[in-house]
Amino acid sequence: MNGIGPKGDTGNTGENGAPGSMVIVTPSVTNITTPVPIPGATLAALVQVAQFSLSAGDFVLAGTVDLAPTGPIGQQYTCQLKDYRNDVIDSSPIVIAGGQVRLVMQGIAHMYFTAPLTLNCGSDAAAHLVRAQFIATQVDRLNPVVTVATPGN
């Protein structure tokens, strides 16, 4: 004997889940035809390069930010995405590049009401934002996982 009995009856089908929704959000500087300037010496004092709004709800954010130098030298870049309370959603490390660079950003946001998110960037020498695009996927709820170190572990 192989220990396998006869197949049982099929159970009842469960209820369908609620449909999800996806909101594609792009900054107010969408389809940039004229680059948005980023002054030099702004790595420690980032400047606003884009702003867009999300409605009330919970969102998972993913986006790309394309930056380029105004001259032929390598530069350092960094960006932060902040919510309406000025809390940082994501911050890129300082990236050193000799030409155009793409920063990938992601995070979560809980919006109590329709409010703006702000993209701030900086560079060690004059540069410009070429393009930025964010996708905001609205979810039913956010359950962020936070690792808490305990003494002795």
Side-chain angles (χ1 to χ4, degrees):
M1 294 222 147
N2 61 9
I4 299 176
K7 183 177 178 181
D9 295 334
T10 300
N12 295 333
T13 301
E15 295 180 25
N16 288 334
S21 62
M22 184 174 197
V23 180
I24 297 178
V25 178
T26 51
S28 59
V29 288
T30 306
N31 299 322
I32 300 169
T33 56
T34 302
V36 176
I38 301 171
T42 54
L43 285 173
L46 307 182
V47 295
Q48 180 178 318
V49 294
Q51 187 176 64
F52 57 97
S53 292
L54 291 178
S55 59
D58 293 324
F59 295 88
V60 176
L61 303 162
T64 57
V65 179
D66 296 337
L67 303 167
T70 57
I73 60 170
Q75 291 181 216
Q76 299 177 62
Y77 307 99
T78 188
C79 289
Q80 285 185 339
L81 182 62
K82 292 185 173 187
D83 67 13
Y84 62 94
R85 294 178 303 259
N86 211 30
D87 291 338
V88 175
I89 295 171
D90 193 14
S91 181
S92 71
I94 292 177
V95 175
I96 301 173
Q100 186 167 320
V101 64
R102 173 167 284 176
L103 304 178
V104 176
M105 305 191 84
Q106 60 188 3
I108 59 173
H110 174 75
M111 309 298 282
Y112 291 103
F113 46 82
T114 299
L117 298 183
T118 304
L119 178 63
N120 303 302
C121 295
S123 180
D124 61 338
H128 60 270
L129 171 72
V130 176
R131 179 175 186 266
Q133 183 175 31
F134 285 87
I135 297 174
T137 305
Q138 190 165 10
V139 295
D140 290 334
R141 67 178 160 265
L142 294 171
N143 293 319
V145 175
V146 179
T147 304
V148 178
T150 57
N153 289 336

